[in-house]
Amino acid sequence: METMLTRDDIDHWLQGIALRTRDRLANARSGDIAVFVAREVDSIWPRVPAPDRAYFHDQLRALLDEISSITASKRRDDALH
């Protein structure tokens, strides 16, 4: 049985996925980023305790919104060049 994550563990994981995703943004298409994030979430989801799943979801949603705005900005910049 895998160890369940604490809120601190979840926050640390979210910070890590944010950094890994930002590293990929420069050279990846948005679909590639979506697949990467989905795989990462699938790997950790069973370890997120039921009482913390809403928190995890809300924090992940905020991260995805941020990534979405970055990729939208990147597409605009690419279109200008």
Side-chain angles (χ1 to χ4, degrees):
M1 184 171 150
E2 292 185 81
T3 304
M4 300 305 275
L5 300 174
T6 65
R7 281 266 174 115
D8 286 341
D9 294 333
I10 292 168
D11 290 339
H12 181 75
W13 182 87
L14 288 163
Q15 291 170 358
I17 189 72
L19 291 173
R20 291 189 303 277
T21 302
R22 285 185 189 106
D23 288 345
R24 292 172 178 260
L25 282 174
N27 299 317
R29 297 179 310 224
S30 59
D32 296 337
I33 297 297
V35 169
F36 170 73
V37 172
R39 286 183 181 151
E40 292 284 321
V41 169
D42 284 346
S43 72
I44 198 169
W45 183 251
R47 296 181 57 208
V48 176
D52 289 329
R53 288 188 173 170
Y55 172 79
F56 177 81
H57 180 267
D58 291 345
Q59 297 302 310
L60 184 61
R61 180 85 227 136
L63 172 65
L64 294 174
D65 288 346
E66 180 182 334
I67 291 167
S68 177
S69 68
I70 292 170
T71 57
S73 175
K74 181 179 177 276
R75 283 192 300 269
R76 283 192 301 273
D77 290 346
D78 290 347
L80 293 174
H81 297 145

